Amino acid sequence: RRIMARRPTEENWESQILDVSFSIVKKCTDWLQLKGRLKEEGIFRVSGSVKRIKALTEQMQDEATGGNPVNLDESDVHTVGGVLKKTVIAIEPPLVPDHAFEAMQLAQFGEGDLAPRLQSYRKALSSVPAARLEILKHIVGFLRGVVREHSSNRMDAQNVSRVWSASLLRGSDDMQSTLLLASGRLASILLTLIVSDVLLGTTFDPVTFRGLSDKELPSVLTQEQDKFDKAGSFTQQKEWVHVGGGAAQAGAHRHTMP
């Protein structure tokens, strides 16, 4: 079942798709943030049951379009986390439009200094339609919360960026997205969105969880980026394959509304 916008009623259809997707995203993130669930070790790294994720996704789609209420308390952290990622991957066209996706890539790896790089990010994000930007902001804000619990869940900023980058930053060209993922570039872009103020309007130190001054931000981003470089792209690629979701596998996760 594939969530995608279609002509000739593309605008209305896409709006409906985004509404349903955001409804599921908010229900999943709200539930995960309660009762210490974000402390679950391996959250988003440990794959839930594919069968249970598929079944729960379909139930939540039905609920979002007027069906029976779904009680997530009958599920578990890894299944609900799987539904969250599956829902984001399933949005078609991809959540971040190609023009913004390409612009952020060029900014991340073409701009030498941080200030013009971040300004290019802001310009790219300003072109993202409001409904899509709202979903992106919601998820990145949620991911900051996941990082805050890294001493328990083992999901520091690098792991969160590795595991989530292929879901959030997926171009329409799956092969290109796969190559960017394997090179570590996607994770670097997501890390910038999490740490800097270009998306959420506030900065975030992934170690102390406080805001960062203009002087502190470049060094923190550099330190976090260096951790990616030390880990290497092969490690990142293995991490991506382990969690069973990403650009090259996106087709297997996409689905249509009932």
Side-chain angles (χ1 to χ4, degrees):
R1 302 200 308 172
R2 183 183 181 118
I3 297 184
M4 63 182 299
R6 299 173 185 168
R7 298 177 185 276
T9 58
E10 182 175 354
E11 184 175 349
N12 291 338
W13 181 254
E14 181 172 345
S15 176
Q16 181 185 4
I17 297 309
L18 293 174
D19 286 346
V20 169
S21 298
F22 200 14
S23 175
I24 295 171
V25 164
K26 287 190 288 187
K27 181 161 184 168
C28 288
T29 55
D30 286 350
W31 185 85
L32 288 167
Q33 290 176 99
L34 296 175
K35 300 182 179 180
R37 294 184 180 110
L38 291 184
K39 296 180 183 291
E40 180 81 15
E41 185 170 352
I43 185 172
F44 300 121
R45 289 182 67 182
V46 176
S47 298
S49 161
V50 173
K51 183 177 180 180
R52 287 197 294 268
I53 290 171
K54 181 177 184 295
L56 183 58
T57 300
E58 292 175 354
Q59 291 168 14
M60 294 185 74
Q61 287 176 358
D62 289 340
E63 177 189 35
T65 53
N68 295 326
V70 176
N71 181 9
L72 294 183
D73 288 340
E74 298 175 355
S75 191
D76 62 87
V77 167
H78 300 301
T79 300
V80 175
V83 171
L84 176 58
K85 289 190 69 183
K86 182 180 178 71
T87 299
V88 175
I89 293 171
I91 295 173
E92 285 292 334
L95 181 62
V96 177
D98 280 350
H99 65 274
F101 179 63
E102 294 286 346
M104 285 191 289
Q105 287 182 59
L106 291 174
Q108 184 68 26
F109 303 101
E111 299 281 1
D113 295 330
L114 182 62
R117 187 192 318 164
L118 296 184
Q119 186 56 37
S120 295
Y121 265 76
R122 293 187 183 95
K123 183 177 180 181
L125 291 166
S126 70
S127 68
V128 177
R132 292 175 173 273
L133 193 62
E134 187 178 11
I135 296 174
L136 182 63
K137 285 182 175 180
H138 182 88
I139 294 174
V140 172
F142 167 75
L143 293 179
R144 282 185 175 181
V146 176
V147 173
R148 286 179 181 274
E149 302 295 344
H150 73 78
S151 63
S152 298
N153 61 30
R154 309 301 181 194
M155 290 294 287
D156 59 15
Q158 293 78 37
N159 281 333
V160 165
S161 298
R162 289 185 185 106
V163 170
W164 266 93
S165 57
S167 302
L168 284 177
L169 303 172
R170 178 175 63 79
S172 58
D173 184 336
D174 282 348
M175 181 57 69
Q176 181 193 37
S177 296
T178 301
L179 293 173
L180 289 169
L181 178 69
S183 71
R185 290 194 168 196
L186 288 186
S188 296
I189 294 170
L190 180 53
L191 180 68
T192 299
L193 296 180
I194 292 172
V195 174
S196 77
D197 61 355
V198 295
L199 179 64
L200 298 179
T202 60
T203 54
F204 175 74
D205 187 319
V207 176
T208 66
F209 316 134
R210 63 178 177 81
L212 295 163
S213 69
D214 290 342
K215 290 183 179 180
E216 293 173 315
L217 182 58
S219 63
V220 169
L221 276 173
T222 299
Q223 290 168 12
E224 295 298 315
Q225 182 63 54
D226 285 347
K227 294 177 184 177
F228 279 136
D229 296 339
K230 289 177 182 177
S233 60
F234 177 70
T235 300
Q236 182 181 33
Q237 190 171 18
K238 283 180 62 180
E239 188 74 50
W240 163 65
V241 172
H242 172 67
V243 298
Q249 297 183 9
H253 287 273
R254 296 172 193 165
H255 46 281
T256 54
M257 290 170 49

